[in-house]
Amino acid sequence: VPRRDEPLETTLQTSGRRLTGQRRLIVDLIREHGGHLDANELYRLARRHNPRLSLATIYRTLALLRDLGLVDEVHLGEEHHHYELKPVLEHGHMVCLGCGTVLEFSSSLLTRLKSEVEQAYAFTVTEAQVDLSGYCTACRPAQTTAP
Amino acid sequence: VPRRDEPLETTLQTSGRRLTGQRRLIVDLIREHGGHLDANELYRLARRHNPRLSLATIYRTLALLRDLGLVDEVHLGEEHHHYELKPVLEHGHMVCLGCGTVLEFSSSLLTRLKSEVEQAYAFTVTEAQVDLSGYCTACRPAQTTAP
DNA sequence: ATGGATGCAAATGATTTGCAAAAGG
DNA sequence: CCTTTTGCAAATCATTTGCATCCAT
């Protein structure tokens, strides 16, 4: 079982960056909420703890964490980005078009897909993003069609 | 072998929409370029044929085509949307982080992944978006690391 | 004719950036 | 101390929208 607290401090220090309260707060929030938060949600939550914190800091911190490889930036649905702590195991997302819920799934096929593509196309995969849109059990019957 | 020209006219007429020169042009461009164009690229190309055409029309047309199910809106990399004609067969994308090239791949695993998730999570998948980031043969050695 | 479509420009929403003040190591 | 970070506000980028005009049907 990997520890999840240290990477932040270690990685920041290694690259000459500082461990600020804001950064710790933002990482904690992402962790608590299991990811899938967007910048604005994060901003709202963060202000409850530190009302002076700015949206710009949210964005700057997210970009930093992404560059350091600590969080993944995912593109769900049509909208803006969502962020989650770098997952230990490969997984994809299911987005319900009815209620908007985001669920994670994992499957060995995901890993297999990666290796298959790497071999077949001589392409080195560094990251895989797999998003399935559709309807969860609750929303399936109510499936409103027509544009 | 499916014809690719008629769906536009038919689908537009069915829904009481009109077949304008702009719409035909935009669809032609997407087809010619095999997809993966973003709104701006499309705009630039379209103006070569019709200099008065506006960006707003590009966006409105893309939204319409998406709603009618004629094109797919895909989210590659971090950026804005890209569009491609609704593919006949399920496929995913490989985006090279070195040169930015977008390639398509297809794999039976993709279909299997879909059904596996549907069964395992009782989720009805209507669409799957699979994007692999990494490096193509040409860019692999030059892999510039470090943020 | 006549309702849907377009062009233009202004509005919106998300994200980025310049700069002076604040704070981590 | 000295450099990185932050907050604030203004700037930028992609996308959307109001409205008068235009054009397929």
Side-chain angles (χ1 to χ4, degrees):
Chain A
V1 187
R3 270 180 282 81
R4 317 198 74 181
D5 241 84
E6 282 192 357
L8 177 63
E9 310 176 43
T10 308
T11 313
L12 284 177
Q13 287 171 353
T14 303
S15 56
R17 264 71 170 253
R18 292 172 183 173
L19 178 54
T20 66
Q22 290 93 325
R23 288 177 178 171
R24 198 192 292 277
L25 172 57
I26 291 171
V27 171
D28 284 348
L29 289 174
I30 297 179
R31 175 161 9 187
E32 279 172 30
H33 288 257
H36 308 308
L37 293 170
D38 62 29
N40 243 318
E41 294 166 330
L42 221 28
Y43 179 53
R44 278 186 24 255
L45 292 171
R47 301 199 109 205
R48 302 225 271 253
H49 296 80
N50 175 355
R52 292 183 43 68
L53 185 147
S54 75
L55 233 198
T57 294
I58 298 279
Y59 279 109
R60 280 189 282 230
T61 300
L62 288 173
L64 175 65
L65 294 174
R66 186 232 299 130
D67 290 344
L68 293 176
L70 294 174
V71 307
D72 274 342
E73 188 178 57
V74 297
H75 324 284
L76 302 171
E78 331 276 325
E79 325 302 340
H80 37 261
H81 296 153
H82 286 71
Y83 301 83
E84 61 187 28
L85 285 189
K86 200 102 186 167
V88 179
L89 40 122
E90 205 83 62
H91 71 273
H93 298 106
M94 298 175 283
V95 186
C96 178
L97 299 173
C99 57
T101 311
V102 177
L103 300 168
E104 293 185 357
F105 72 84
S106 56
S107 161
S108 61
L109 288 181
L110 238 164
T111 312
R112 288 179 52 189
L113 180 66
K114 252 176 59 175
S115 1
E116 187 178 297
V117 170
E118 294 200 303
Q119 288 185 34
Y121 298 85
F123 186 88
T124 305
V125 176
T126 59
E127 209 178 308
Q129 171 150 0
V130 179
D131 299 327
L132 306 179
S133 310
Y135 296 91
C136 68
T137 326
C139 298
R140 190 167 324 144
Q143 205 174 129
T144 46
T145 330
Chain B
V1 188
R3 270 179 284 79
R4 316 199 73 181
D5 242 83
E6 282 191 356
L8 176 63
E9 309 176 43
T10 308
T11 312
L12 284 178
Q13 288 171 353
T14 304
S15 56
R17 266 69 171 257
R18 293 171 183 173
L19 178 54
T20 65
Q22 291 92 325
R23 287 178 179 169
R24 199 192 290 277
L25 173 57
I26 291 172
V27 171
D28 283 348
L29 288 174
I30 298 179
R31 176 160 6 182
E32 278 173 30
H33 288 259
H36 310 308
L37 293 171
D38 62 28
N40 242 318
E41 294 166 330
L42 221 28
Y43 180 52
R44 279 186 23 253
L45 293 171
R47 302 199 107 204
R48 303 225 270 253
H49 296 79
N50 175 356
R52 292 183 42 70
L53 185 146
S54 75
L55 232 197
T57 294
I58 297 279
Y59 279 109
R60 281 189 281 231
T61 300
L62 288 173
L64 174 65
L65 294 174
R66 188 231 299 128
D67 290 344
L68 293 177
L70 295 174
V71 307
D72 275 340
E73 187 178 58
V74 297
H75 323 284
L76 302 172
E78 333 275 326
E79 324 303 339
H80 37 261
H81 297 153
H82 287 70
Y83 300 83
E84 60 186 28
L85 285 189
K86 200 102 184 167
V88 179
L89 39 123
E90 203 84 64
H91 71 273
H93 299 106
M94 298 175 281
V95 185
C96 178
L97 300 173
C99 57
T101 310
V102 177
L103 301 168
E104 293 185 357
F105 73 84
S106 57
S107 162
S108 62
L109 288 182
L110 237 163
T111 311
R112 287 179 55 191
L113 180 66
K114 254 177 56 176
S115 3
E116 187 178 298
V117 170
E118 292 200 303
Q119 289 185 34
Y121 298 87
F123 186 89
T124 305
V125 177
T126 59
E127 208 178 309
Q129 171 150 0
V130 179
D131 300 327
L132 305 179
S133 309
Y135 295 90
C136 68
T137 325
C139 297
R140 190 166 323 143
Q143 205 175 125
T144 45
T145 331

